[in-house]
Structure formats: structure tokens, C-alpha cells
Amino acid sequence: MTTTTESKVTYQRTEYPRPQFQRQEWMNLNGTWKFAFDDDNIGEKGLWYQQSSFTTDIQVPFTYETKASGIGKEEFHPYIWYQRTFEIAKKEIGKRAILRFQAADYLTKVWINGEYIGEHAGGNAAFSFDITNALDYTKENEIVVKVEDSQSCYRPRGKQRWRDENFGCWYVQNTGIWQTVWLEFLQKESIEKVKIEPKLDTNSVLFDYKLNGEIDSDWKLETTISFAGEVVKRFTNVPDRTNSRVEVSLLSDLYEWKVMHWSPEHPNLYDVRFTLSIKDQVVDEVQSYFGMRKVSIKDGQVLLNNVPIYQKLLLDQGYWPDTMLTPPSDEAMLEDIEKTIAMGFNGVRKHQKLEDERFLYWCDKKGLLVWSEMAATYEFSDEAVENFTKEWLEIVQQHYNHPSIITWVPFNESWGVPNIFKDKKQQAFTEMIYYLTKTLDSERPVIVNDGWEHTISDIIALHDYEELGKVFYERYKDKSPILNNEIPHNKHKYAFADGYQYKGQPIMITEYGGIAFNEASGWGYGNQVNTEEEFLKRYRDITDAIKSLPYINGYCYTQTTDVQQEINGLLKEDRTPKIALEKIKEINDADKIWIK
């Protein structure tokens, strides 16, 4: 949502931030907060959390670097503070108060009414604090937040620069609260989370529940599954422990095909409601949804619902001019998705960013496939391993239920593991992350590491920005030299790290193109083009070259939009198309025919 004045546009994030686990009642804490820089890091010693008198306003959840925040200062500040007050309705007295952050970058510390609550490290994962005991229900309550950031390359930072100026494909840093902050008031007994695992081959779905509270025989947990408003299944279990699992068949005579599958062509979603009751009184209720789909690999191909799928992806970095990494609105996210589909792509590789869950929600609704990629560190150390692993563990669990996510990408182009080609420790680290991810999610493919120098990986994902289609075709028509590590696949890097070999995995070209128009400033890959005709010829030639290779399972074009100094988007930063969307779609939709 945006409101327009004569002087500026004010962005407001009013949507419930977690649509896969939604409660009807919540308190949105986005909006105007007080703000202060603390470059000398004197705030804690000076008890700013007890006697804050910040004079600057900031619009949460937009970082101080953005225009939307109302500050718009791009220089780096390592310590920043936020403060606001809130009142609690009388009906919430006696309940647990949970303060939730969808994301803040990087180390977040929280005080309520001067009392220290806790801290969370990580710039991409959601986190929460129980602030019940620190609240005063008789008056206004104060929340104070300190966020500490750094230019360390041992922390997952993605495309955030670690110098004072932009360089290469690294952009202005993202400091502080950058996704929604909100409050929920819950009974002592509540539903903590539910992992939803579709089992397409048995027409069933497995629910893995986690509850809060001291279980007794008066508890009942009802699960109601519906589709298009019709109840498909309803069942009640009496939990005897806080963790339980229930698998249920989805076969129903309500539908001709008995079970409604999810796919890009038919993004069918089942709605599900979880209701926790004690002595027949409802104490918690959560709305969710899931998609019945299966991702697998067989005979060198990626299968969706047991059928091969040719993936046509866009590299999507998720930046906006006024809000940077924070999507300005639901409408803005939906516009990106709809334009991606209109250009004939069936998915996105979310590059170096863990995207807003509402973006994933709209991908679930619209049927857009998502490769979920972790923000990279850029140096290897024990500290980097710890930071990366902890946050990746949180992210995989938090985003697991989204049917649109069909691939996990923890590593890209050896970022954070720069010596992986030979270094056994770095190789072991990537293997550990692979198996950890498989422990949490046995189904989705995991790529290690996207671009080149793969270790253990379910898909071999290669990057090549060759401009000429014929040159590309000649390079790849015989796959053996590349897959046997006899030659670098892109003149610079080998497909596999030393000691690893090809084992029949699907092969995809997951970065190519990056074509930029000739402009006064900014860059793309290769020579810039001057006209639409030049662009379309080059786009068609290189895309047709990829599609002509029978062993290639799909591609990912760079990229959706221009981002700051990188001007190789199909759309400008403001989302204006550079080329008519239907002309891109025509090329993407064309049959796999190579004309020599």
C-alpha cells in the first residue's frame, strides 16, 4: 500500500507477514518509530534503552539507507537504535505476548520497558521473543531495539557491499529492521508450528505438529482441510505430547481426479485450519495451506509430480528503487511475478536473498517455481561456518511448507568457499550443509555450488555469459570434456571441485545472458546493445543454443530488473519493460530447434 503526497510517496506494509501460519488477531508494529545512529557504540553504556530520547523518525520496516525510511543515508553505520510505544487491549491481559520480527540485519537486541529481553543473530531468518513478563498492562509500553551490523565477510550478506562504495555486482548495504515487526497474544496453550509434508505417490499429507503448554487429556487438535471452500477432510486427535505426527489420505470423491495437484499450469492449493481446544473451548486457531506436489530426479532429469519439467527461470534479486531489499507492497511483489510469467518464464532463482514470505505466498498462488538461494559469506573461517549454518538451518525450516520452492541453493559461485576447488575443509563444509539440508528436507534438490566447482550436488548448475549462440553451442555440444573436468566450461572455471565427478545429475545453465542496453553508466555482461532488434537477436540466439542441447534441463536468464549499477534487467528498476513482454515470451515458448 502506498499513499501519495505532493512531496513524496509513503510506503506502508500492512499485510499479515506470515500467510502460511496466519492468526486473525495481531498487532502490526510497522510505521513510524524513533531512530538514532550510535557510531561510537555508547548507547548500551549510556542506558539508551531506559532513557531514550531519539529525535529522528524512521518508517519501519524500511532500512535507513532507503528513501522509503524517510532518512535515505547510504553511508554505513554499525550501530542503530529504534524506539516506539504501544498499548495493549484489556482483552489480551493474561495471555502470552510474542514479539515477532520477520527479518532484521544483523544482530538484534530488544528491551521492553527498560528490561533486556534477548538477542538474535542473522539478517534473513524470522525470530521472536516472549515479552510477557516485561509488560505493564496498565499503561503504555516501550520497545527499544538496537541492531548491530558490520562489513564482515564472515556473515551471510548476499549482495550487500562490504566497502564504502558499490562495486561489481554488490550494492548498498541493508542495515536494521527490513521486514515486518508485529505482536501476537496467545494463551499459554498454543500451536507453535506445523510442518506439512505432501506425499503425492500415496495421495496423502503428513502433518508434524508442535504445541506449547502442558498436555493433558482435555486437549483436542482439530485439522480441517478444504479445497475451493469444500471440506475435504476433517479429523481430531487427542495429543499426548507436544510433538505429534498424523498422516491422512486426501482422496475425495468431490473431484474427478480425487486429488488436486499443484503445478505451474494448475497451482491448486488446499486450505487447512488448525484448531486447538481445551475442555471444548478454542484456545488457538491458525490458517494455513499447502500444495500437493512432488520434486524428484530420475535419469538425469528434474521431475515435478513424476513428469519431467523444463525450467525456464529468471535470476531475481528482489530490489526496488525506493525500498531496496524490502518489497514496497503486496502489489509490487505480485507485479514482478505476473510480468515474469507474462515473459514465458515458469520460475525464478531468488539470487542471494531470502525473500519476503508474502512473495513466496504469491508464487504459491500463481504457480511460479522458486529456487531459494542463501545469502553468501565471502571468506571462510570457523566463524563463517557457524554463522552460515545456524541461519540456513532456521531458513529451511521456516520456508519448508511453500510448494513453490522446488530447489535449495545454499552456495553460489564459490562465494564464502573461495578455495573449494582444492581445499578439503571447504569441500567438507559444503557436504555438511548438503546433508543437513537433506535431513530437514529429503525431497527437494540441493545445489552445491551453483555455477561451477560442484562438490556433492543434485543438479549440476553452470554459469556462462557467452554472447554468441553458435560459440555456446560448439562449446557444449559434446558434454564429456566439461563433465569430465577436462576443460573449464566457461573458459575460467571447472564444473567440479577436485576429487568429485559427474554422477548422472540433471544439468542446467543457471546464469547466462545479462544483456544491457548502451547507456551512459552501468554495466551488463559482454557488449551492450543499441536497439531492440539487436537485443532480441542476441537473446534468441543464445537461448535457442541452450534449448538445442538435449542434455540441458533448463536455464536461468540474468535478470529480472536493473539493480543499481547493474543494468542488465529485462525490466528497468521501476519495472518498466525494456522489450515488449510478449516478444520475450515468444522466444521462451519456441520449440527446442537449433538452426545452424
PDB file of all heavy atoms in Angstrom, residues 107-133:
ATOM      1  N   LEU A 107      22.598  -8.262  14.077  1.00  0.00           N
ATOM      2  CA  LEU A 107      22.421  -8.670  15.477  1.00  0.00           C
ATOM      3  C   LEU A 107      21.396  -7.751  16.116  1.00  0.00           C
ATOM      4  O   LEU A 107      21.618  -6.548  16.258  1.00  0.00           O
ATOM      5  CB  LEU A 107      23.745  -8.598  16.241  1.00  0.00           C
ATOM      6  CG  LEU A 107      23.661  -8.933  17.744  1.00  0.00           C
ATOM      7  CD1 LEU A 107      23.262 -10.387  17.935  1.00  0.00           C
ATOM      8  CD2 LEU A 107      24.982  -8.645  18.438  1.00  0.00           C
ATOM      9  N   THR A 108      20.265  -8.329  16.528  1.00  0.00           N
ATOM     10  CA  THR A 108      19.148  -7.550  17.062  1.00  0.00           C
ATOM     11  C   THR A 108      19.020  -7.787  18.562  1.00  0.00           C
ATOM     12  O   THR A 108      18.925  -8.931  19.007  1.00  0.00           O
ATOM     13  CB  THR A 108      17.831  -7.952  16.372  1.00  0.00           C
ATOM     14  OG1 THR A 108      17.986  -7.827  14.953  1.00  0.00           O
ATOM     15  CG2 THR A 108      16.680  -7.090  16.836  1.00  0.00           C
ATOM     16  N   LYS A 109      19.011  -6.703  19.335  1.00  0.00           N
ATOM     17  CA  LYS A 109      18.814  -6.764  20.781  1.00  0.00           C
ATOM     18  C   LYS A 109      17.537  -6.009  21.125  1.00  0.00           C
ATOM     19  O   LYS A 109      17.267  -4.947  20.551  1.00  0.00           O
ATOM     20  CB  LYS A 109      20.003  -6.146  21.522  1.00  0.00           C
ATOM     21  CG  LYS A 109      21.328  -6.844  21.268  1.00  0.00           C
ATOM     22  CD  LYS A 109      22.471  -6.179  22.036  1.00  0.00           C
ATOM     23  CE  LYS A 109      23.795  -6.900  21.826  1.00  0.00           C
ATOM     24  NZ  LYS A 109      24.901  -6.261  22.576  1.00  0.00           N
ATOM     25  N   VAL A 110      16.775  -6.535  22.080  1.00  0.00           N
ATOM     26  CA  VAL A 110      15.462  -5.971  22.396  1.00  0.00           C
ATOM     27  C   VAL A 110      15.330  -5.704  23.888  1.00  0.00           C
ATOM     28  O   VAL A 110      15.701  -6.544  24.727  1.00  0.00           O
ATOM     29  CB  VAL A 110      14.339  -6.933  21.940  1.00  0.00           C
ATOM     30  CG1 VAL A 110      12.979  -6.419  22.370  1.00  0.00           C
ATOM     31  CG2 VAL A 110      14.385  -7.118  20.422  1.00  0.00           C
ATOM     32  N   TRP A 111      14.788  -4.529  24.231  1.00  0.00           N
ATOM     33  CA  TRP A 111      14.403  -4.172  25.591  1.00  0.00           C
ATOM     34  C   TRP A 111      12.928  -3.790  25.592  1.00  0.00           C
ATOM     35  O   TRP A 111      12.444  -3.116  24.673  1.00  0.00           O
ATOM     36  CB  TRP A 111      15.211  -2.975  26.096  1.00  0.00           C
ATOM     37  CG  TRP A 111      16.655  -3.226  26.340  1.00  0.00           C
ATOM     38  CD1 TRP A 111      17.257  -3.502  27.535  1.00  0.00           C
ATOM     39  CD2 TRP A 111      17.719  -3.179  25.378  1.00  0.00           C
ATOM     40  NE1 TRP A 111      18.613  -3.642  27.389  1.00  0.00           N
ATOM     41  CE2 TRP A 111      18.936  -3.440  26.068  1.00  0.00           C
ATOM     42  CE3 TRP A 111      17.772  -2.949  23.999  1.00  0.00           C
ATOM     43  CZ2 TRP A 111      20.162  -3.489  25.421  1.00  0.00           C
ATOM     44  CZ3 TRP A 111      19.004  -2.991  23.358  1.00  0.00           C
ATOM     45  CH2 TRP A 111      20.171  -3.253  24.062  1.00  0.00           C
ATOM     46  N   ILE A 112      12.218  -4.206  26.626  1.00  0.00           N
ATOM     47  CA  ILE A 112      10.827  -3.800  26.833  1.00  0.00           C
ATOM     48  C   ILE A 112      10.751  -3.110  28.195  1.00  0.00           C
ATOM     49  O   ILE A 112      11.122  -3.693  29.221  1.00  0.00           O
ATOM     50  CB  ILE A 112       9.849  -4.992  26.799  1.00  0.00           C
ATOM     51  CG1 ILE A 112       9.914  -5.697  25.437  1.00  0.00           C
ATOM     52  CG2 ILE A 112       8.426  -4.535  27.110  1.00  0.00           C
ATOM     53  CD1 ILE A 112       9.388  -4.885  24.270  1.00  0.00           C
ATOM     54  N   ASN A 113      10.293  -1.863  28.179  1.00  0.00           N
ATOM     55  CA  ASN A 113      10.200  -1.075  29.413  1.00  0.00           C
ATOM     56  C   ASN A 113      11.511  -1.097  30.199  1.00  0.00           C
ATOM     57  O   ASN A 113      11.536  -1.200  31.424  1.00  0.00           O
ATOM     58  CB  ASN A 113       9.040  -1.573  30.282  1.00  0.00           C
ATOM     59  CG  ASN A 113       7.694  -1.399  29.591  1.00  0.00           C
ATOM     60  OD1 ASN A 113       7.497  -0.446  28.836  1.00  0.00           O
ATOM     61  ND2 ASN A 113       6.782  -2.322  29.837  1.00  0.00           N
ATOM     62  N   GLY A 114      12.620  -1.021  29.465  1.00  0.00           N
ATOM     63  CA  GLY A 114      13.941  -0.984  30.070  1.00  0.00           C
ATOM     64  C   GLY A 114      14.514  -2.327  30.451  1.00  0.00           C
ATOM     65  O   GLY A 114      15.660  -2.405  30.892  1.00  0.00           O
ATOM     66  N   GLU A 115      13.748  -3.394  30.290  1.00  0.00           N
ATOM     67  CA  GLU A 115      14.212  -4.734  30.655  1.00  0.00           C
ATOM     68  C   GLU A 115      14.742  -5.461  29.429  1.00  0.00           C
ATOM     69  O   GLU A 115      14.062  -5.543  28.404  1.00  0.00           O
ATOM     70  CB  GLU A 115      13.071  -5.541  31.277  1.00  0.00           C
ATOM     71  CG  GLU A 115      13.456  -6.956  31.675  1.00  0.00           C
ATOM     72  CD  GLU A 115      12.315  -7.736  32.290  1.00  0.00           C
ATOM     73  OE1 GLU A 115      11.394  -7.096  32.861  1.00  0.00           O
ATOM     74  OE2 GLU A 115      12.312  -8.979  32.196  1.00  0.00           O
ATOM     75  N   TYR A 116      15.946  -5.997  29.537  1.00  0.00           N
ATOM     76  CA  TYR A 116      16.544  -6.719  28.422  1.00  0.00           C
ATOM     77  C   TYR A 116      15.801  -8.025  28.182  1.00  0.00           C
ATOM     78  O   TYR A 116      15.567  -8.813  29.108  1.00  0.00           O
ATOM     79  CB  TYR A 116      18.014  -7.005  28.707  1.00  0.00           C
ATOM     80  CG  TYR A 116      18.718  -7.747  27.589  1.00  0.00           C
ATOM     81  CD1 TYR A 116      18.942  -7.125  26.368  1.00  0.00           C
ATOM     82  CD2 TYR A 116      19.146  -9.055  27.762  1.00  0.00           C
ATOM     83  CE1 TYR A 116      19.590  -7.792  25.331  1.00  0.00           C
ATOM     84  CE2 TYR A 116      19.810  -9.737  26.736  1.00  0.00           C
ATOM     85  CZ  TYR A 116      20.019  -9.098  25.522  1.00  0.00           C
ATOM     86  OH  TYR A 116      20.655  -9.775  24.509  1.00  0.00           O
ATOM     87  N   ILE A 117      15.438  -8.273  26.918  1.00  0.00           N
ATOM     88  CA  ILE A 117      14.653  -9.456  26.561  1.00  0.00           C
ATOM     89  C   ILE A 117      15.514 -10.533  25.934  1.00  0.00           C
ATOM     90  O   ILE A 117      15.419 -11.716  26.275  1.00  0.00           O
ATOM     91  CB  ILE A 117      13.513  -9.069  25.591  1.00  0.00           C
ATOM     92  CG1 ILE A 117      12.574  -8.058  26.259  1.00  0.00           C
ATOM     93  CG2 ILE A 117      12.758 -10.305  25.140  1.00  0.00           C
ATOM     94  CD1 ILE A 117      11.871  -8.580  27.498  1.00  0.00           C
ATOM     95  N   GLY A 118      16.357 -10.157  24.977  1.00  0.00           N
ATOM     96  CA  GLY A 118      17.178 -11.155  24.305  1.00  0.00           C
ATOM     97  C   GLY A 118      17.732 -10.610  23.010  1.00  0.00           C
ATOM     98  O   GLY A 118      17.561  -9.436  22.673  1.00  0.00           O
ATOM     99  N   GLU A 119      18.394 -11.496  22.256  1.00  0.00           N
ATOM    100  CA  GLU A 119      19.003 -11.073  21.001  1.00  0.00           C
ATOM    101  C   GLU A 119      18.934 -12.196  19.983  1.00  0.00           C
ATOM    102  O   GLU A 119      18.745 -13.369  20.326  1.00  0.00           O
ATOM    103  CB  GLU A 119      20.451 -10.646  21.216  1.00  0.00           C
ATOM    104  CG  GLU A 119      21.377 -11.751  21.675  1.00  0.00           C
ATOM    105  CD  GLU A 119      22.786 -11.252  21.938  1.00  0.00           C
ATOM    106  OE1 GLU A 119      22.932 -10.222  22.635  1.00  0.00           O
ATOM    107  OE2 GLU A 119      23.751 -11.895  21.455  1.00  0.00           O
ATOM    108  N   HIS A 120      19.070 -11.818  18.722  1.00  0.00           N
ATOM    109  CA  HIS A 120      19.092 -12.791  17.625  1.00  0.00           C
ATOM    110  C   HIS A 120      20.133 -12.355  16.609  1.00  0.00           C
ATOM    111  O   HIS A 120      20.206 -11.183  16.235  1.00  0.00           O
ATOM    112  CB  HIS A 120      17.725 -12.882  16.938  1.00  0.00           C
ATOM    113  CG  HIS A 120      17.728 -13.774  15.720  1.00  0.00           C
ATOM    114  ND1 HIS A 120      17.969 -13.295  14.444  1.00  0.00           N
ATOM    115  CD2 HIS A 120      17.542 -15.117  15.592  1.00  0.00           C
ATOM    116  CE1 HIS A 120      17.923 -14.297  13.582  1.00  0.00           C
ATOM    117  NE2 HIS A 120      17.669 -15.405  14.256  1.00  0.00           N
ATOM    118  N   ALA A 121      20.944 -13.306  16.148  1.00  0.00           N
ATOM    119  CA  ALA A 121      21.940 -13.032  15.128  1.00  0.00           C
ATOM    120  C   ALA A 121      21.489 -13.623  13.803  1.00  0.00           C
ATOM    121  O   ALA A 121      21.032 -14.771  13.736  1.00  0.00           O
ATOM    122  CB  ALA A 121      23.292 -13.619  15.527  1.00  0.00           C
ATOM    123  N   GLY A 122      21.617 -12.836  12.747  1.00  0.00           N
ATOM    124  CA  GLY A 122      21.228 -13.284  11.411  1.00  0.00           C
ATOM    125  C   GLY A 122      20.414 -12.226  10.711  1.00  0.00           C
ATOM    126  O   GLY A 122      19.567 -11.580  11.340  1.00  0.00           O
ATOM    127  N   GLY A 123      20.638 -12.054   9.420  1.00  0.00           N
ATOM    128  CA  GLY A 123      19.959 -10.983   8.699  1.00  0.00           C
ATOM    129  C   GLY A 123      18.785 -11.405   7.864  1.00  0.00           C
ATOM    130  O   GLY A 123      18.116 -10.553   7.264  1.00  0.00           O
ATOM    131  N   ASN A 124      18.479 -12.720   7.791  1.00  0.00           N
ATOM    132  CA  ASN A 124      17.476 -13.191   6.847  1.00  0.00           C
ATOM    133  C   ASN A 124      16.342 -14.005   7.455  1.00  0.00           C
ATOM    134  O   ASN A 124      15.259 -14.063   6.883  1.00  0.00           O
ATOM    135  CB  ASN A 124      18.157 -14.051   5.779  1.00  0.00           C
ATOM    136  CG  ASN A 124      19.278 -13.323   5.075  1.00  0.00           C
ATOM    137  OD1 ASN A 124      19.053 -12.535   4.177  1.00  0.00           O
ATOM    138  ND2 ASN A 124      20.523 -13.578   5.490  1.00  0.00           N
ATOM    139  N   ALA A 125      16.576 -14.637   8.574  1.00  0.00           N
ATOM    140  CA  ALA A 125      15.579 -15.511   9.183  1.00  0.00           C
ATOM    141  C   ALA A 125      14.649 -14.737  10.108  1.00  0.00           C
ATOM    142  O   ALA A 125      15.016 -13.707  10.681  1.00  0.00           O
ATOM    143  CB  ALA A 125      16.263 -16.633   9.967  1.00  0.00           C
ATOM    144  N   ALA A 126      13.433 -15.241  10.259  1.00  0.00           N
ATOM    145  CA  ALA A 126      12.476 -14.683  11.213  1.00  0.00           C
ATOM    146  C   ALA A 126      12.824 -15.142  12.627  1.00  0.00           C
ATOM    147  O   ALA A 126      13.426 -16.198  12.829  1.00  0.00           O
ATOM    148  CB  ALA A 126      11.064 -15.119  10.851  1.00  0.00           C
ATOM    149  N   PHE A 127      12.425 -14.335  13.623  1.00  0.00           N
ATOM    150  CA  PHE A 127      12.689 -14.698  15.011  1.00  0.00           C
ATOM    151  C   PHE A 127      11.670 -14.011  15.912  1.00  0.00           C
ATOM    152  O   PHE A 127      10.958 -13.091  15.488  1.00  0.00           O
ATOM    153  CB  PHE A 127      14.117 -14.328  15.425  1.00  0.00           C
ATOM    154  CG  PHE A 127      14.469 -12.872  15.237  1.00  0.00           C
ATOM    155  CD1 PHE A 127      14.401 -11.975  16.288  1.00  0.00           C
ATOM    156  CD2 PHE A 127      14.882 -12.395  13.999  1.00  0.00           C
ATOM    157  CE1 PHE A 127      14.729 -10.638  16.134  1.00  0.00           C
ATOM    158  CE2 PHE A 127      15.219 -11.055  13.826  1.00  0.00           C
ATOM    159  CZ  PHE A 127      15.137 -10.169  14.892  1.00  0.00           C
ATOM    160  N   SER A 128      11.595 -14.450  17.155  1.00  0.00           N
ATOM    161  CA  SER A 128      10.592 -13.904  18.078  1.00  0.00           C
ATOM    162  C   SER A 128      11.086 -13.966  19.511  1.00  0.00           C
ATOM    163  O   SER A 128      12.028 -14.701  19.835  1.00  0.00           O
ATOM    164  CB  SER A 128       9.272 -14.667  17.942  1.00  0.00           C
ATOM    165  OG  SER A 128       9.436 -16.032  18.279  1.00  0.00           O
ATOM    166  N   PHE A 129      10.420 -13.177  20.365  1.00  0.00           N
ATOM    167  CA  PHE A 129      10.715 -13.141  21.798  1.00  0.00           C
ATOM    168  C   PHE A 129       9.407 -13.163  22.575  1.00  0.00           C
ATOM    169  O   PHE A 129       8.431 -12.501  22.182  1.00  0.00           O
ATOM    170  CB  PHE A 129      11.475 -11.863  22.175  1.00  0.00           C
ATOM    171  CG  PHE A 129      12.775 -11.668  21.457  1.00  0.00           C
ATOM    172  CD1 PHE A 129      12.870 -10.782  20.393  1.00  0.00           C
ATOM    173  CD2 PHE A 129      13.906 -12.367  21.843  1.00  0.00           C
ATOM    174  CE1 PHE A 129      14.072 -10.589  19.731  1.00  0.00           C
ATOM    175  CE2 PHE A 129      15.124 -12.187  21.185  1.00  0.00           C
ATOM    176  CZ  PHE A 129      15.197 -11.296  20.130  1.00  0.00           C
ATOM    177  N   ASP A 130       9.378 -13.892  23.672  1.00  0.00           N
ATOM    178  CA  ASP A 130       8.257 -13.837  24.606  1.00  0.00           C
ATOM    179  C   ASP A 130       8.519 -12.668  25.559  1.00  0.00           C
ATOM    180  O   ASP A 130       9.465 -12.688  26.349  1.00  0.00           O
ATOM    181  CB  ASP A 130       8.156 -15.145  25.390  1.00  0.00           C
ATOM    182  CG  ASP A 130       6.892 -15.224  26.235  1.00  0.00           C
ATOM    183  OD1 ASP A 130       6.413 -14.171  26.713  1.00  0.00           O
ATOM    184  OD2 ASP A 130       6.384 -16.341  26.435  1.00  0.00           O
ATOM    185  N   ILE A 131       7.692 -11.627  25.464  1.00  0.00           N
ATOM    186  CA  ILE A 131       7.921 -10.411  26.261  1.00  0.00           C
ATOM    187  C   ILE A 131       6.882 -10.251  27.367  1.00  0.00           C
ATOM    188  O   ILE A 131       6.761  -9.181  27.971  1.00  0.00           O
ATOM    189  CB  ILE A 131       7.917  -9.161  25.354  1.00  0.00           C
ATOM    190  CG1 ILE A 131       6.548  -8.966  24.683  1.00  0.00           C
ATOM    191  CG2 ILE A 131       9.024  -9.262  24.310  1.00  0.00           C
ATOM    192  CD1 ILE A 131       6.417  -7.648  23.938  1.00  0.00           C
ATOM    193  N   THR A 132       6.150 -11.315  27.670  1.00  0.00           N
ATOM    194  CA  THR A 132       5.022 -11.249  28.600  1.00  0.00           C
ATOM    195  C   THR A 132       5.398 -10.629  29.941  1.00  0.00           C
ATOM    196  O   THR A 132       4.727  -9.709  30.436  1.00  0.00           O
ATOM    197  CB  THR A 132       4.444 -12.657  28.834  1.00  0.00           C
ATOM    198  OG1 THR A 132       4.188 -13.272  27.570  1.00  0.00           O
ATOM    199  CG2 THR A 132       3.172 -12.590  29.649  1.00  0.00           C
ATOM    200  N   ASN A 133       6.464 -11.126  30.543  1.00  0.00           N
ATOM    201  CA  ASN A 133       6.797 -10.720  31.913  1.00  0.00           C
ATOM    202  C   ASN A 133       7.327  -9.294  32.007  1.00  0.00           C
ATOM    203  O   ASN A 133       7.423  -8.734  33.101  1.00  0.00           O
ATOM    204  CB  ASN A 133       7.816 -11.687  32.505  1.00  0.00           C
ATOM    205  CG  ASN A 133       7.245 -13.083  32.695  1.00  0.00           C
ATOM    206  OD1 ASN A 133       6.037 -13.244  32.842  1.00  0.00           O
ATOM    207  ND2 ASN A 133       8.099 -14.084  32.672  1.00  0.00           N
TER     208      ASN A 133
END
